[in-house]
Amino acid sequence: MIYIHIPFCKQKCSYCNFHFSTSLNFKDEMLSAMKTELLLRKDELQNRTLKSLYFGGGTPSILSVDEINSLIDEALRYFSFEKDIEITLEANPDDLDKNFLKQLAGTPVNRLSIGTQSFFEEDLKLMNRAHTASEAEGSIKRAQDFGFENLSIDLIYGSPTSNLEIWKENLNKTMALEVPHISSYALTVEPKTALENWISKGKVKSPKEEEQNREFYYLSDFLKDNGFEHYEVSNFAKPGFYSRHNSSYWKYQEYLGIGPSAHSYNGFDVRSWNVANNQQYIKKLNDKLLAKEEEILSNEDQFNEMIMIGLRTIWGVDLMSLKNKFSERLLEHFQTEIKTKIEEGILIIENDHLKIPEKHWFMADGIASDLFIV
């Protein structure tokens, strides 16, 4: 599978620390560099038949449909697509007007991930989103009108401008819109963001973990009652609508990341990442050089990643895979820790898979870190 990072946005959200630029001055050069990177890295994936292609960012919908299509065509020059390939485009609601959607419906893009975040103006203003509450709702309806049934929306909970009642209304609105996939995250205060600055100066209250905990479990119960499956800590889907792309990440499969700051993984022991600087990225690719660094993952690194990722999912961690892959010496600490946590009810074993009971999923990352080999 391939991930293409589009490093452009109209404006900077207050909570975001992803790599992007609000200037489009070098957009053409960037797209050309990405096509060069696809050429230079065409032999890196063992499986040359793609089951997913994902445009993330940044804001991929800031591109024209012709530009999106040209990147798809370039990928087709070097890879073949499965007949039912999932091609996802992340999009902001304010970009999804009738003209854009009409053109997009004529492309191979068959899944939209819409950055809704909230249906309430106060939340959107705090987040410095470019869209309004009415655009959030209207974009979903328009996408459905143009035949996009495989839709995902992002929702953020635990904002200081929100509360449980507002969160309930957000979820009721989502159900009324019949969206089949939801990715939902607690508002986090990342370093060097506007949100961190506002909180440090007392302009905005800090998110409260107990409120986020309450809203997370309400979210989980509510969506399950409405026919959704909670298949990863932050992801919920109606049957048949799991994100094929993200599920591949969570099952340790290989992927190729194209564009500045994009990451790649060979499915075994090599992880690489591109420079998070647009000008450096373009310059390198203009010289037909890759703008990436890589690391060889140690046995400990591989073990810790399998634990961290697996325990965030409905599938858990395959204990037989761990035993076959890692030495007994490496597993000693792990076996001691899981015994204690099983006794405490924090971990369970089902069909030889280690899992966190869903009632403890909000603390999944902390539970997983206790099992790490250090």
Side-chain angles (χ1 to χ4, degrees):
M1 62 181 188
I2 292 179
Y3 170 84
I4 298 179
H5 185 80
I6 307 300
F8 301 113
C9 287
K10 289 180 182 176
Q11 63 191 51
K12 186 177 178 70
C13 298
S14 63
Y15 56 88
C16 180
N17 68 345
F18 288 177
H19 171 69
F20 66 91
S21 170
T22 54
S23 170
L24 296 177
N25 289 341
F26 297 97
K27 184 179 68 169
D28 291 345
E29 291 88 341
M30 177 61 70
L31 297 178
S32 177
M34 288 178 173
K35 292 173 183 177
T36 300
E37 187 182 7
L38 278 166
L39 166 64
L40 295 177
R41 303 185 69 184
K42 62 184 176 62
D43 296 323
E44 285 191 28
L45 288 181
Q46 296 175 46
N47 186 354
R48 303 296 299 280
T49 302
L50 302 181
K51 66 179 181 180
S52 73
L53 176 62
Y54 192 104
F55 290 88
T59 309
S61 57
I62 207 168
L63 300 180
S64 71
V65 172
D66 284 345
E67 289 166 337
I68 294 164
N69 239 340
S70 72
L71 287 170
I72 294 173
D73 288 344
E74 196 69 19
L76 267 172
R77 289 182 64 183
Y78 313 116
F79 302 92
S80 58
F81 290 178
E82 287 190 357
K83 286 184 179 179
D84 63 342
I85 185 173
E86 174 190 273
I87 302 182
T88 302
L89 182 80
E90 288 185 356
N92 277 355
D94 47 300
D95 293 326
L96 298 179
D97 59 27
K98 288 183 178 179
N99 183 53
F100 183 88
L101 285 164
K102 183 179 180 180
Q103 293 181 55
L104 194 68
T107 75
V109 173
N110 53 23
R111 184 175 184 270
L112 291 179
S113 177
I114 304 176
T116 306
Q117 314 310 357
S118 175
F119 294 102
F120 285 84
E121 294 291 354
E122 201 171 349
D123 290 342
L124 296 173
K125 287 176 182 176
L126 173 74
M127 299 174 199
N128 197 37
R129 297 293 292 171
H131 65 275
T132 64
S134 62
E135 285 175 324
E137 181 176 353
S139 65
I140 295 167
K141 290 179 177 177
R142 281 193 298 276
Q144 291 165 331
D145 288 343
F146 280 96
F148 289 97
E149 296 180 359
N150 195 355
L151 291 180
S152 176
I153 68 169
D154 289 349
L155 291 175
I156 290 179
Y157 60 88
S159 165
T161 52
S162 186
N163 56 43
L164 184 58
E165 291 310 307
I166 290 175
W167 184 230
K168 288 178 180 179
E169 290 186 49
N170 263 318
L171 295 175
N172 286 330
K173 175 70 72 176
T174 303
M175 291 305 99
L177 291 167
E178 299 183 340
V179 175
H181 188 284
I182 296 164
S183 297
S184 191
Y185 309 93
L187 182 69
T188 55
V189 185
E190 300 293 345
K192 300 179 181 179
T193 59
L195 182 61
E196 182 194 47
N197 181 262
W198 296 340
I199 290 172
S200 69
K201 292 181 177 178
K203 295 180 179 180
V204 173
K205 292 181 180 179
S206 182
K208 295 180 180 179
E209 186 174 314
E210 61 271 23
E211 287 293 327
Q212 293 184 335
N213 186 307
R214 188 177 300 115
E215 291 177 17
F216 171 79
Y217 286 111
Y218 180 85
L219 164 75
S220 179
D221 291 341
F222 178 86
L223 291 182
K224 284 188 294 182
D225 288 345
N226 281 275
F228 283 76
E229 296 170 359
H230 193 177
Y231 73 108
E232 193 270 345
V233 169
S234 301
N235 286 271
F236 306 79
K238 289 286 185 74
F241 286 93
Y242 285 21
S243 167
R244 203 178 308 170
H245 188 87
N246 289 337
S247 295
S248 295
Y249 289 150
W250 303 325
K251 294 178 180 178
Y252 331 113
Q253 295 173 7
E254 64 172 348
Y255 55 89
L256 181 62
I258 301 296
S261 82
H263 284 60
S264 303
Y265 176 54
N266 73 345
F268 178 54
D269 64 348
V270 179
R271 190 173 301 284
S272 65
W273 56 94
N274 288 340
V275 61
N277 180 293
N278 287 3
Q279 291 305 306
Q280 289 180 30
Y281 175 83
I282 291 170
K283 185 177 185 303
K284 282 276 193 181
L285 271 302
N286 282 347
D287 294 334
K288 301 295 189 291
L289 298 171
L290 293 176
K292 68 168 184 167
E293 297 181 46
E294 67 178 37
E295 66 173 332
I296 305 297
L297 299 174
S298 67
N299 284 337
E300 289 81 1
D301 291 335
Q302 294 174 54
F303 177 88
N304 292 344
E305 286 198 5
M306 288 182 71
I307 297 300
M308 174 61 80
I309 295 170
L311 288 181
R312 288 181 59 88
T313 71
I314 195 172
W315 306 290
V317 178
D318 185 338
L319 292 175
M320 286 305 297
S321 291
L322 286 185
K323 291 173 185 175
N324 292 335
K325 185 168 184 175
F326 300 106
S327 68
E328 189 63 33
R329 177 195 64 79
L330 206 61
L331 294 171
E332 273 184 39
H333 163 77
F334 170 73
Q335 290 167 338
T336 302
E337 282 292 326
I338 67 168
K339 183 178 179 182
T340 302
K341 285 180 165 45
I342 288 171
E343 291 171 354
E344 294 171 351
I346 296 172
L347 290 172
I348 57 173
I349 295 177
E350 290 181 350
N351 300 320
D352 219 20
H353 282 69
L354 184 70
K355 303 178 182 181
I356 298 175
E358 196 174 350
K359 64 181 179 180
H360 297 300
W361 268 19
F362 189 73
M363 304 303 294
D365 290 349
I367 294 169
S369 67
D370 289 342
L371 306 179
F372 287 174
I373 307 297
V374 294

